[in-house]
């Protein structure tokens, strides 16, 4: 049997077996000075093969011992994550890179100087990394998160921690412990709550096994900054695609799956600000006429231009960091408002705008309207 089929069968079996509800402990932790007893309690769970959700600077992660195949299978089960979608391994010490990979290229050193931070490196995996963690690939994704709670937990656990975003697969990523609770209470052992995350979108993923290196997912580290350090780095075509590409052989399997989606249908409108406003209002009116409840995901500069059932602003168009921070939170809020349709404004593809647009395009299922 080929390994990925065997892996799929194992994970499905695990999904069926693990239907029992767990008691999820929720602990408030000081984000600046994590309390030792709380970190110890969380680390004990990790070491026993359990699941702990914890804050990072990007989004909340759902952690398990990255070297324990059974523990990692529990992540897939808790999230309903497709078994071929590999998981990022979080470390607290750069030395661990050389345990997780025996082939670390020279350009990795320069990039590791950006750690701790929102940058994930893909390297050839060493034999200690289980197939469950790599989704059956021969590569491993590694990052050092810039959050005191995350770093303390990894250190105290004394193992690398595999952690995807702590949401149900397909849903918007969690930027607060409450988002994690909504999706995963009863399915995981513990949630460490240190308040809202700083960046709000996931890490930038760079594949260093391809020549030239490629960004597989734009994220918290802007492409412009990455290119200053790695001159020949390219964006994978799917990163900026405004149509669904055929990705049967995606370099990052996560690219194939439905992602970041609120329950409502999301339509993304792209173009200049003036044209955007007219097009969005036209769409709102059209859906209202059909009896639909419509929300607009706007910005501070435009929010007063609309008439709609619910209007929410991501922040000022001058501050992509602010837009990124609010993105997933507002997508979840629209679900609470029970809108049928969300019409979202596109933003320029620069700085964190690239990550924002990547998430919005995917959340829309590439239902994109060009305004002109
Ligand atoms: P998340 O589950 O939100 O943390 O997303 C992790 C992302 O990293 C997904 O898009 C994965 O497909 C990608 N990823 C993790 N490990 C690898 C790997 N070994 N090769 C390619 N992409 C990876
Ligand atoms: Mg995710």
């Amino acid at each position: 049997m080929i390994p990925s089929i065997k892996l799929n069968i194992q994970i499905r079996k695990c999904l069926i077996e693990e239907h029992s509800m767990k008691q999820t402990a929720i602990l408030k932790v000081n984000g600046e000075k994590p309390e030792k007893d709380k970190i110890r309690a969380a680390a004990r769970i990790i070491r026993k093969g359990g699941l702990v959700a914890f804050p990072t600077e990007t989004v909340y992660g759902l952690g398990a011992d990255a070297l324990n195949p059974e523990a990692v299978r529990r992540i897939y089960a808790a999230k309903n994550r497709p078994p071929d979608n590999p998981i990022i391994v979080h470390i607290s010490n750069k030395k661990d890179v050389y345990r997780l990979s025996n082939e670390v290229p020279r350009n990795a050193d320069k990039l590791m100087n950006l750690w701790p931070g929102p940058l994930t490196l893909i390297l050839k995996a060493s034999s200690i990394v289980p197939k469950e963690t790599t989704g059956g690939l021969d590569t491993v994704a590694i990052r050092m998160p810039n959050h005191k709670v995350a770093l303390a937990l990894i250190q105290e656990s004394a193992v690398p921690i595999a952690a995807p975003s702590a949401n149900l697969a397909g849903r918007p990523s969690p930027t607060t412990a409450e988002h994690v609770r909504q999706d995963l209470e009863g399915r995981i052992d513990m949630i460490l709550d240190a308040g809202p995350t700083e960046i709000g979108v996931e890490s930038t993923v760079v594949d260093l096994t391809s020549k030239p290196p490629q960004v597989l997912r734009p994220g918290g580290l802007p492409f412009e900054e990455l290119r200053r350090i790695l001159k020949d780095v390219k964006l994978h075509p799917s990163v900026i695609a405004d149509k669904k590409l055929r990705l049967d052989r995606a370099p990052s399997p996560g690219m194939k799956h439905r992602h970041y989606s609120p329950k409502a249908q999301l339509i993304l409108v792209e173009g200049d600000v003036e044209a955007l406003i007219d097009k969005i209002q036209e769409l709102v009116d059209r859906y209202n006429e059909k009896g639909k409840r419509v929300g607009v995901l706007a910005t501070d500069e435009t929010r007063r231009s609309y008439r709609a059932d619910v209007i929410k602003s991501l922040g000022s168009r001058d501050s992509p960091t602010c837009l990124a921070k609010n993105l997933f939170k507002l997508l979840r809020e629209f679900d609470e408002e029970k809108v049928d349709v969300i019409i979202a404004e596109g933003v320029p593809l620069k700085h964190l705008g690239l990550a924002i647009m990547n998430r919005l395009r995917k959340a829309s299922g590439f239902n994109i309207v060009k305004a002109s």
Side-chain angles (χ1 to χ4, degrees):
M1 203 184 311
I2 56 172
S4 70
I5 295 178
K6 196 167 153 210
L7 181 69
N8 285 3
I9 294 170
Q10 277 173 347
I11 288 166
R12 277 210 200 99
K13 202 167 136 223
C14 162
L15 284 173
I16 296 160
E17 280 165 7
E18 293 225 0
H19 49 77
S20 58
M21 292 287 278
K22 289 174 193 273
Q23 182 79 26
T24 303
I26 304 179
L27 296 188
K28 285 228 186 282
V29 191
N30 186 323
E32 282 310 309
K33 245 181 134 216
E35 296 86 346
K36 286 219 171 70
D37 55 335
K38 295 179 184 171
I39 296 297
R40 264 189 223 123
R44 263 197 303 277
I45 294 173
I46 296 284
R47 293 192 65 87
K48 279 197 202 150
L51 301 182
V52 176
F54 61 95
T56 77
E57 80 280 35
T58 59
V59 301
Y60 272 73
L62 178 60
D65 177 350
L67 305 181
N68 175 345
E70 259 171 59
V72 176
R73 268 184 245 147
R74 290 192 184 106
I75 294 181
Y76 287 92
K79 281 185 57 112
N80 286 338
R81 184 178 177 91
D84 64 349
N85 193 1
I87 300 179
I88 296 171
V89 179
H90 294 70
I91 58 171
S92 61
N93 189 323
K94 287 181 197 167
K95 277 192 212 139
D96 282 340
V97 169
Y98 302 91
R99 291 176 60 221
L100 298 165
S101 175
N102 300 321
E103 289 178 47
V104 184
R106 215 180 298 146
N107 52 15
D109 284 334
K110 283 196 275 181
L111 294 176
M112 282 193 259
N113 288 332
L114 299 174
W115 284 349
L119 174 67
T120 296
L121 305 181
I122 295 188
L123 303 171
K124 276 267 177 287
S126 74
S127 59
I128 67 163
V129 189
K131 289 287 173 222
E132 282 76 0
T133 300
T134 66
L137 301 175
D138 60 359
T139 51
V140 59
I142 310 173
R143 108 170 172 101
M144 190 191 292
N146 188 13
H147 195 293
K148 293 202 170 110
V149 172
L151 292 170
L153 177 63
I154 302 164
Q155 213 144 17
E156 184 67 29
S157 305
V159 286
I161 294 187
S165 51
N167 51 292
L168 285 172
R171 299 266 300 137
S173 297
T175 57
T176 65
E178 173 56 20
H179 297 160
V180 181
R181 194 195 62 72
Q182 287 164 5
D183 278 17
L184 298 177
E185 187 169 35
R187 303 170 75 92
I188 64 177
D189 299 293
M190 184 179 273
I191 303 173
L192 295 176
D193 176 1
T197 59
E198 186 59 36
I199 295 178
V201 289
E202 304 86 340
S203 61
T204 301
V205 177
V206 190
D207 184 356
L208 294 181
T209 68
S210 67
K211 286 203 175 63
Q214 286 196 94
V215 170
L216 302 184
R217 176 177 77 184
L221 182 80
F223 183 62
E224 294 86 339
E225 274 178 44
L226 184 62
R227 211 170 31 188
R228 246 182 271 146
I229 294 169
L230 204 60
K231 297 274 183 290
D232 59 344
V233 63
K234 297 270 180 317
L235 290 173
H236 186 277
S238 73
V239 164
I240 32 174
D242 57 5
K243 290 185 191 62
K244 197 166 172 41
L245 300 184
R246 273 203 58 197
L247 285 173
D248 308 344
R249 294 199 292 143
S252 180
M255 291 170 170
K256 281 191 308 202
H257 301 292
R258 183 173 168 271
H259 250 97
Y260 316 117
S261 306
K263 289 174 189 140
Q265 176 193 356
L266 191 142
I267 301 168
L268 176 61
V269 182
E270 299 184 4
D272 293 340
V273 181
E274 290 306 315
L276 272 181
I277 295 172
D278 291 343
K279 183 50 104 182
I280 288 178
Q281 190 60 55
E282 186 190 316
L283 288 167
V284 173
D285 294 343
R286 200 188 304 161
Y287 279 98
N288 273 162
E289 271 166 31
K290 290 188 202 162
K292 304 275 188 204
R293 186 170 157 77
V294 185
V296 175
L297 185 61
T299 48
D300 286 354
E301 289 81 356
T302 60
R303 63 181 306 163
R304 273 174 287 277
S305 312
Y306 300 112
R307 282 165 285 105
D309 298 300
V310 185
I311 300 165
K312 290 182 183 285
S313 172
L314 283 173
S316 169
R317 298 178 79 85
D318 293 337
S319 171
T321 48
C322 179
L323 307 179
K325 192 169 183 159
N326 291 323
L327 177 67
F328 289 132
K329 181 179 84 170
L330 293 197
L331 290 181
R332 281 178 181 257
E333 283 182 16
F334 275 117
D335 281 341
E336 281 159 30
E337 301 268 4
K338 303 225 172 343
V339 297
D340 303 301
V341 184
I342 303 166
I343 306 183
E345 272 178 22
V347 297
L349 288 165
K350 50 178 201 254
H351 194 68
L352 290 187
L354 186 63
I356 295 167
M357 288 299 277
N358 169 273
R359 306 307 186 268
L360 282 174
R361 284 170 172 176
K362 288 189 171 187
S364 76
F366 296 94
N367 188 350
I368 298 170
V369 175
K370 302 277 183 189
S372 55

